[in-house]
């Protein structure tokens, strides 16, 4: 995977891991904290191991993924399998095969004060700058939701 780089982000959140997990995966909370990536972001699917899940922008474009691992309040691993463009799932084009599978892993580490959430994400080179700017904003929004 030479065109993919793993980025890591973290946030100290003054809430227990189960609360952070709930805000990461609850549809209404998800829409709020992922607005840092695209206003109106949503998902269609489930957070259970083996489940297919689609991460979508308001126009319907997005990512086709699968939940690789799901341990509530501990660890979540999302395996990105392809893109969705104009309603069409693409898992086989040269452009997609250049970066799949790519992983997005969330680790919920309990601390005396609450949770340290660590995000490890594989990104294609052209998305590195965008993700490096958006993830800290997203984690800030998630922190606000969890601590409210």
């Amino acid at each position: 995977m030479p065109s993919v780089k793993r980025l890591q982000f973290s946030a100290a959140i003054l809430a227990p891991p189960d609360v952070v997990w709930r805000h990461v995966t609850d549809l209404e909370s998800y829409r709020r904290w992922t607005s840092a990536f695209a206003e109106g972001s949503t998902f269609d699917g489930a957070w259970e191991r083996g489940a297919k899940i689609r991460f979508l922008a308001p126009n319907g474009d997005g990512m086709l993924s699968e939940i690789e691992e799901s341990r509530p309040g501990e660890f979540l691993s999302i395996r990105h399998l392809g893109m969705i463009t104009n309603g069409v799932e693409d898992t086989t084009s040269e452009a997609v095969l250049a970066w799949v599978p790519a992983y997005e892993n969330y680790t919920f580490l309990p601390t005396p004060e609450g949770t340290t959430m660590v995000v490890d994400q594989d990104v294609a080179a052209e998305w590195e700058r965008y993700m490096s700017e958006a993830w800290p904003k997203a984690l800030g929004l998630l922190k606000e939701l969890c601590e409210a």
Side-chain angles (χ1 to χ4, degrees):
M1 253 198 280
S3 62
V4 174
K5 183 175 181 179
R6 178 152 290 185
L7 303 179
Q8 186 175 82
F9 308 93
S10 66
I13 300 174
L14 303 177
D18 61 316
V19 170
V20 180
W21 175 277
R22 188 176 75 241
H23 283 291
V24 166
T25 60
D26 171 76
L27 181 58
E28 206 48 51
S29 293
Y30 178 89
R31 287 177 173 159
R32 290 175 61 190
W33 72 266
T34 60
S35 66
F37 299 102
E39 196 68 45
S41 293
T42 190
F43 68 86
D44 177 32
W47 297 98
E48 288 87 36
R49 185 171 197 253
K52 295 281 191 242
I53 191 165
R54 296 159 50 108
F55 298 100
L56 303 166
N59 68 359
D61 290 352
M63 306 278 292
L64 176 64
S65 307
E66 180 178 61
I67 303 301
E68 179 83 7
E69 191 65 46
S70 180
R71 298 193 310 269
E74 295 177 23
F75 183 73
L76 178 65
S77 180
I78 303 162
R79 183 165 49 118
H80 298 298
L81 304 171
M83 300 295 296
I84 303 163
T85 308
N86 298 319
V88 178
E89 295 179 359
D90 173 11
T91 58
T92 59
S93 72
E94 200 172 303
V96 167
L97 292 176
W99 60 268
V100 299
Y103 289 85
E104 186 172 331
N105 296 325
Y106 302 162
T107 305
F108 303 78
L109 301 171
T111 67
E113 301 78 30
T115 306
T116 296
M117 181 163 161
V118 179
V119 176
D120 292 290
Q121 182 166 19
D122 297 336
V123 298
E126 63 265 25
W127 289 95
E128 182 178 354
R129 182 175 172 193
Y130 172 77
M131 289 297 180
S132 294
E133 293 171 359
W135 262 116
K137 293 175 190 169
L139 287 173
L141 291 169
L142 179 63
K143 179 178 171 71
E144 287 176 21
L145 285 167
C146 294
E147 294 178 358

